[in-house]
Amino acid sequence: MDQIKLTQFSHGGGCGCKIAPAVLSKLLAHAPAGLVPPDLLVGTETADDAAVYRLNDRQAIVATTDFFTPIVDDPYDFGRIAATNALSDVYAMGGRPIMALAIVGMPIDKLPPEVIGRILEGGASVCRDAGIPIAGGHSIDVLEPIYGLVGLGVVDPAQVKTNAGAKAGDVLILTKPLGIGILSAGLKKGLLEKADYAAMLHWTTLLNRVGMHLAGMAGVHAVTDVTGFGLAGHLLEICRGSNLTASVSFGEVPTIDAALRLVRDGIATGASTRNWASYGESIRFAPEAPEWQRKLVTDPQTSGGLLIACAPDAVDEVLAAIRAEQGSDGRVIGRMEVGEPLLRIV
């Protein structure tokens, strides 16, 4: 079992295997318009993190699904990362997870039952940490290993946090450092030290449960989690949903040390190139900015942090909540401004 490397079965790992934003837009353009009942508070309009459906004046259901191919070789770690990533969408809406359903696709003729079992154990361990059961699921026999969850949660309809509520003057806060995609590329090339892998595992298995606390903060206007489209892509979704410009100070963007070293040496994922091709025309970089900075802001994050737009007078409260919940500091990286939906990085 120890000889099997899960990443050898996947053409792209973690959120790096997401369909590129530009391609996804073309696909969705051909999708027929569906029923939009008045109690569907959040649907597909602004590419938000999860759907939200109002049950009554005090309760709404948050529903999401997320799954991907292996980003690491260890099956238990893969299960943990995938489950943490899936539940992040519930937290990003301000929701409290209540249960999950497992999504399992495995090449049964290539992976022994004990390997598959370890993947499921990893996912179950994260759900226990989140205080929820895995109450069912679905499995199929496929060519590449796939694992993830349907995440279900609850939230007060009046406290839903979307990616479309930012206001001019809002401060942007990021709760986790960037670099997961770069580390995954380094892992495939055998370039990660033990400490580098430990850092990667720490951040990708850290639940974004601070989102539940953000729900009750009136000064928090918009929230999204940073995943496969990178920091730039998900911030642009806030810009478009809120009809504002974002300004980010690159020097303030937190980055995992090993990822910074690797990206400066030219290590990056193909997904970062696809991301830039999809939305690069909406980004204004300083002319002298080196190529590796572009690779970093477009780096696909698997189980990345929350990106928060809040009023200036709410910053201290938000940072304190992040520190209390995850034991590390969030970082102020920029602000929202009046202007067309684009991103300036200085």
Side-chain angles (χ1 to χ4, degrees):
M1 184 174 83
D2 292 337
Q3 301 303 313
I4 292 178
K5 293 190 174 185
L6 290 180
T7 55
Q8 71 181 325
F9 298 104
S10 59
H11 70 285
C15 287
C17 64
K18 288 178 72 169
I19 295 174
V23 178
L24 182 60
S25 294
K26 291 180 181 178
L27 296 177
L28 294 178
H30 294 284
L35 177 68
V36 183
D39 285 321
L40 183 63
L41 304 182
V42 181
T44 61
E45 298 79 13
T46 61
D48 222 317
D49 298 301
V52 181
Y53 190 92
R54 179 172 49 211
L55 299 177
N56 52 55
D57 290 342
R58 298 298 305 276
Q59 294 176 309
I61 289 287
V62 181
T64 185
T65 183
D66 214 315
F67 54 90
F68 46 63
T69 53
I71 187 174
V72 294
D73 291 318
D74 182 271
Y76 186 77
D77 291 345
F78 171 44
R80 292 176 65 204
I81 294 169
T84 307
N85 179 76
L87 294 180
S88 181
D89 288 338
V90 176
Y91 292 126
M93 307 303 294
R96 174 177 61 84
I98 55 173
M99 70 174 181
L101 306 174
I103 299 170
V104 183
M106 296 291 156
I108 299 300
D109 60 335
K110 295 182 176 67
L111 290 182
E114 57 267 29
V115 171
I116 298 173
R118 287 291 286 168
I119 295 172
L120 302 183
E121 288 174 19
S125 72
V126 166
C127 288
R128 283 195 299 272
D129 187 28
I132 64 171
I134 296 181
H138 186 64
S139 60
I140 59 173
D141 186 358
V142 291
L143 297 178
E144 293 182 278
I146 296 170
Y147 179 71
L149 301 175
V150 172
L152 297 173
V154 292
V155 67
D156 186 325
Q159 296 183 345
V160 174
K161 302 301 181 184
T162 75
N163 65 2
K167 299 180 180 180
D170 276 356
V171 174
L172 292 167
I173 297 173
L174 186 61
T175 67
K176 292 184 185 181
L178 302 184
I180 298 301
I182 296 161
L183 292 180
S184 71
L187 179 66
K188 283 192 173 184
K189 294 178 180 294
L191 299 176
L192 292 197
E193 302 291 339
K194 180 181 272 189
D196 302 335
Y197 182 79
M200 178 181 179
L201 196 61
H202 168 74
W203 292 112
T204 54
T205 59
L206 182 64
L207 287 165
N208 281 324
R209 61 174 104 227
V210 68
M212 294 187 294
H213 303 284
L214 301 177
M217 298 183 189
V220 173
H221 300 143
V223 181
T224 191
D225 64 338
V226 180
T227 54
F229 299 158
L231 171 65
H234 292 287
L235 181 47
L236 280 170
E237 289 178 340
I238 290 181
C239 292
R240 292 164 184 153
S242 307
N243 198 31
L244 294 170
T245 291
S247 179
V248 166
S249 174
F250 184 85
E252 297 302 322
V253 176
T255 307
I256 300 170
D257 289 342
L260 189 59
R261 182 182 71 248
L262 288 170
V263 75
R264 283 174 165 165
D265 288 339
I267 304 300
T269 68
S272 66
T273 301
R274 295 192 296 273
N275 282 342
W276 180 263
S278 295
Y279 55 67
E281 72 279 358
S282 296
I283 299 178
R284 306 292 182 266
F285 251 120
E288 67 277 9
E291 175 74 7
W292 64 265
Q293 291 188 4
R294 191 189 81 183
K295 296 291 188 183
L296 187 62
V297 298
T298 58
D299 185 50
Q301 302 306 289
T302 298
S303 193
L306 298 182
L307 179 60
I308 304 159
C310 67
D313 60 6
V315 169
D316 289 345
E317 183 182 13
V318 171
L319 293 176
I322 296 168
R323 192 173 302 114
E325 194 53 58
Q326 66 183 40
S328 59
D329 292 330
R331 183 78 67 84
V332 173
I333 64 169
R335 65 180 55 250
M336 303 300 296
E337 302 170 349
V338 173
E340 62 181 308
L342 56 81
L343 169 58
R344 294 193 184 92
I345 300 177
V346 297

